[in-house]
Amino acid sequence: MHTEQQDLFDKQPAPWELDAAQTQAVASVVFAAGPEKPFDYRVPEALSGQVEPGRRLHVPFGRAGRIVVGYCVRLETRQQLRPLKDVADVIDHRPLLSPAMLRLTEWMADYYMCPWATVLEAVLPAGVRSSAGTRRATLLSVPTRVAARLTELKLPKKQHDILRYLAASPRPLTPTQLAAAQKCTTGPIQELRKKGLIEAVKGQSTLAAPPRVQVNREQHLEMNADQLAALAAIRQSLDAREHRTILMHGITGSGKTEVYIQAIAEVISYGRQAIVLVPEISLTPQTQERFRSRFERVAVLHSHLTDVERHQHWQEIARGEVQVIVGARSAVFAPTPHLGLIVLDEEHEGSFKQDSAPRYHARDVALFRAAAENVPVVLGSATPSLESWHRAQQGQYQLVSLPRRVFDRPLPIVGTIDLRNEYQSRRSRGAIGRQLQLAIEEALREQGQVILLLNRRGFSTHIQCPACGKVVKCPNCELALTHHKPGEMAICHMCEFEQPAPRQCPDCDFVGIQYAGLGTQRLEAEVRARFPDVTCLRMDTDTMQAPGSHERALAKFRSGEVKILLGTQMIAKGLDFPNVTLVGVINADTALHLPDFRAAERTFQLVTQVAGRTGRGAKGGRVLVQTFSPEHPAIQAAVKHDFEMFASDELPIRDALSYPPYASMVRMVMRGPSEPATHEFAKHLAGLLQLSIAKFEPTARVLGPAPCPMAKLRGLYRFHLQLHGPNLVGICAAVREATANLQQPDEIQWIVDVDPLEML
Ligand code: ADP
Ligand code: ZN
């Protein structure tokens, strides 16, 4: 870290010219709003011992000396010539971050080119920062000198009981808490305080631990040979007490979770904690129960927690009272005192990347954290990201494979249905072709259940006039509006703009305006019409808005009450329902032709994952994939359940075009209300980047500016620039230099995204 004040200091007289008496404690402080660089403050005598890295401070800022909140990130004693302002006050009575976590945030700020304080605010939950659920209170404890001779004290019984209880409490209690616990008035507590046997300080009251969820405990399963081999690899690294990354490539249904669980059991057995990261969508009650049934103390961090609940979990974790933390992306920041292992399940999932600053990827943060704390990381997936796969091929990660399903259950047979033929022969109309129709009938006849995937919500995906060709678009985003049946609305899927669905063309007034393209609502209507006696249920973000609706829907499917589950990618992942004997993919091509270099990878992942939802029980299962491009390598590989085939087809393409994993990438997006002004600014920035790239990283390339594939979003025009090159550090240095003194018109905003996943 380099502060402005230090620069000044460097130009001051040499140390021997200074008087030792001028040595003073200096705190470096960063701010969530305002300047990005740290500012230095003098620590006054009265606050020494309280100011330390990881605590928040009140400090004067600016000419007027307005008091603001900042994070202390460093404390040092040094000679200081230039007078510094004094720290005004200390906010937190203990650090919110350990030194290791503070270093992690410093690394993130540097790697993702994001202000340090922005990272700190992302790492510390809002409820922790606001001390949600606690208040300033009198806190009682028993001084050690008293606790030592507790038995010798001659006291009335009640007072003796109170004193014993408080001495045994792991944390200080307020008078009310203590009185409630001992079923007494505050009278005897007052007596004890008067006698000096109880000590009282003013402080923030502590939170009770969150309530425990009771579930039936279960034994670990007897593992098969592949699982044992995978566990042995993890155990080796645990025993060696060293950081290692293990990529566990296990096909769907191969029993990866059991391996995680038994590795965690090992970690817990020597008093350490484990963090399990899963995509938010996989945090189902089923997943939670799998962990809760095996371990005593599990914290599940999901997005519906209130600030107080989150704060309770955070404190409980920080006290070391939790063995396993299961959560989405941000659980990687859980303040475990003795971390032993981090697991990322479905490591290829895009939701591990945050799409606002800091734009971090939980996998990379996990790798940094685990390296710093010297513990292993396990990355698990049936369809690893090509980044992780490549690293495993290079020997940076240790690869372990679970190539078979448990009990050697066969993988489902996957067939493709060429939609071009279906279309030409006109044997069927609508979303479900003839072959799929027959297969659904058969599955239902044999008492099986069916999953139908269509990765597009709404009824019709676009509204077009056949007379003049006009497509009805969002005025803010220029994307085609989707027709939603309830209320007959036309809705923008980006910004939620909505208007009544037009009856006639808004341009030429032609009355035969057509509603085309297929969404999940239309699919649902079609399924209900074709199978009127069968219960079916649609799962997409439109039907799953109410809290708990996701769980309720899955429970209905599990119980067999619902026979056909249809929906978007929400139903493609992680579900384990043995009675599903048929999976139908309505249109595998929805993501295949997007202007994104990961389009093929995403299509492969989606088809493979949804195919994995069947054949999990004794009845077996099959998959039918409707597509216009059955010969596409991504679809071919998914049909064969062959990840390695996909990787060996796709990697040479990435290499030739120098895309990740062969090159690093940084994406910059500029947006503003005026298209020409935003374009001008983007060109100006591109020019600066060309110069700094030539200086720092001449082998890298600057591409663009070009309009983003989503060229207008929420009323703002968007342009992007991409930097590709073998060396990320050099690229970032160039971006830093080019943007250091960048002046932009007020209404234009820009962002930088390191290792971008989103290219639209
Ligand atoms: P994956 O995560 O690899 O798709 P899961 O961990 O969900 O697979 O396992 C699939 C199913 O097999 C689960 O119901 C799980 O309880 C069961 N299972 C896993 N390992 C074993 C085992 N060794 N013996 C019996 N059942 C197992
Ligand atoms: Zn819009």
Side-chain angles (χ1 to χ4, degrees), residues 219-296:
Q219 296 291 310
H220 293 324
L221 298 175
E222 193 83 43
M223 296 204 290
N224 62 34
D226 293 331
Q227 288 174 314
L228 286 170
L231 180 63
I234 302 169
R235 203 176 249 163
Q236 227 179 29
S237 168
L238 291 172
D239 290 346
R241 305 267 151 135
E242 63 177 27
H243 168 63
R244 200 181 295 168
T245 305
I246 292 153
L247 177 61
M248 191 154 91
H249 175 216
I251 63 169
T252 55
S254 58
K256 294 184 285 295
T257 310
E258 189 63 30
V259 180
Y260 307 148
I261 284 176
Q262 298 203 22
I264 292 166
E266 172 105 2
V267 166
I268 289 174
S269 73
Y270 48 82
R272 292 192 175 223
Q273 301 94 36
I275 298 176
V276 183
L277 302 177
V278 301
E280 175 80 38
I281 205 165
S282 311
L283 267 178
T284 56
Q286 195 185 4
T287 311
Q288 301 183 20
E289 200 170 316
R290 278 174 95 172
F291 287 92
R292 288 205 167 109
S293 67
R294 303 295 183 85
F295 302 109
E296 192 84 31

Side-chain angles (χ1 to χ4, degrees), residues 474 476-477 492 495 497:
C474 170
N476 306 319
C477 307
C492 172
C495 74
F497 167 88

Side-chain angles (χ1 to χ4, degrees), residues 140-458:
L140 306 177
S141 57
V142 179
T144 357
R145 64 182 157 75
V146 178
R149 45 184 199 96
L150 213 54
T151 44
E152 304 159 25
L153 291 169
K154 295 272 168 296
L155 289 168
K157 175 158 184 338
K158 189 77 237 176
Q159 290 184 24
H160 209 274
D161 288 350
I162 293 171
L163 204 55
R164 258 219 319 262
Y165 181 81
L166 185 59
S169 166
R171 45 187 172 271
L173 300 174
T174 65
T176 340
Q177 283 169 338
L178 183 54
Q182 284 294 299
K183 300 196 176 56
C184 64
T185 62
T186 49
I189 300 173
Q190 284 301 342
E191 283 301 311
L192 288 162
R193 282 177 70 175
K194 270 193 222 138
K195 292 177 189 159
L197 298 174
I198 285 184
E199 213 166 49
V201 290
K202 278 277 176 204
Q204 209 72 23
S205 67
T206 51
L207 278 170
R212 292 232 181 282
V213 182
Q214 292 301 331
V215 299
N216 291 333
R217 290 298 292 274
E218 277 169 22
Q219 296 291 310
H220 293 324
L221 298 175
E222 193 83 43
M223 296 204 290
N224 62 34
D226 293 331
Q227 288 174 314
L228 286 170
L231 180 63
I234 302 169
R235 203 176 249 163
Q236 227 179 29
S237 168
L238 291 172
D239 290 346
R241 305 267 151 135
E242 63 177 27
H243 168 63
R244 200 181 295 168
T245 305
I246 292 153
L247 177 61
M248 191 154 91
H249 175 216
I251 63 169
T252 55
S254 58
K256 294 184 285 295
T257 310
E258 189 63 30
V259 180
Y260 307 148
I261 284 176
Q262 298 203 22
I264 292 166
E266 172 105 2
V267 166
I268 289 174
S269 73
Y270 48 82
R272 292 192 175 223
Q273 301 94 36
I275 298 176
V276 183
L277 302 177
V278 301
E280 175 80 38
I281 205 165
S282 311
L283 267 178
T284 56
Q286 195 185 4
T287 311
Q288 301 183 20
E289 200 170 316
R290 278 174 95 172
F291 287 92
R292 288 205 167 109
S293 67
R294 303 295 183 85
F295 302 109
E296 192 84 31
R297 288 169 289 149
V298 178
V300 178
L301 305 180
H302 56 75
S303 61
H304 299 305
L305 293 177
T306 64
D307 278 357
V308 174
E309 288 168 332
R310 207 165 271 280
H311 189 202
Q312 285 179 322
H313 281 298
W314 197 88
Q315 289 212 345
E316 192 187 27
I317 294 167
R319 288 194 299 264
E321 294 169 7
V322 172
Q323 297 166 319
V324 189
I325 297 105
V326 185
R329 190 169 66 219
S330 63
V332 72
F333 304 122
T336 51
H338 299 288
L339 184 63
L341 174 70
I342 305 180
V343 174
L344 253 100
D345 190 30
E346 311 284 0
E347 68 89 32
H348 62 279
E349 266 287 311
S351 63
F352 284 124
K353 169 104 170 160
Q354 176 151 300
D355 61 5
S356 59
R359 296 183 163 73
Y360 70 91
H361 198 301
R363 180 179 59 221
D364 296 308
V365 174
L367 292 174
F368 183 92
R369 184 170 178 191
E373 304 193 27
N374 223 16
V375 303
V377 174
V378 177
L379 306 176
S381 177
T383 54
S385 64
L386 289 177
E387 284 83 354
S388 296
W389 182 251
H390 183 63
R391 288 191 185 178
Q393 299 294 304
Q394 304 278 302
Q396 278 170 272
Y397 298 166
Q398 184 181 350
L399 181 66
V400 298
S401 302
L402 301 179
R404 278 169 288 270
R405 285 189 154 183
V406 292
F407 303 131
D408 257 326
R409 281 190 190 118
L411 277 163
I413 293 168
V414 184
T416 55
I417 299 169
D418 193 331
L419 284 174
R420 291 168 299 194
N421 298 341
E422 287 283 329
Y423 191 74
Q424 274 157 14
S425 64
R426 294 218 166 259
R427 264 185 306 197
S428 63
R429 300 193 147 265
I432 297 171
R434 189 172 155 69
Q435 286 187 57
L436 186 53
Q437 164 90 22
L438 293 175
I440 296 173
E441 285 167 7
E442 186 186 325
L444 295 173
R445 204 162 44 236
E446 286 165 12
Q447 307 303 320
Q449 286 171 292
V450 178
I451 286 181
L452 297 176
L453 173 81
L454 175 64
N455 211 9
R456 270 189 189 154
R457 61 199 175 91

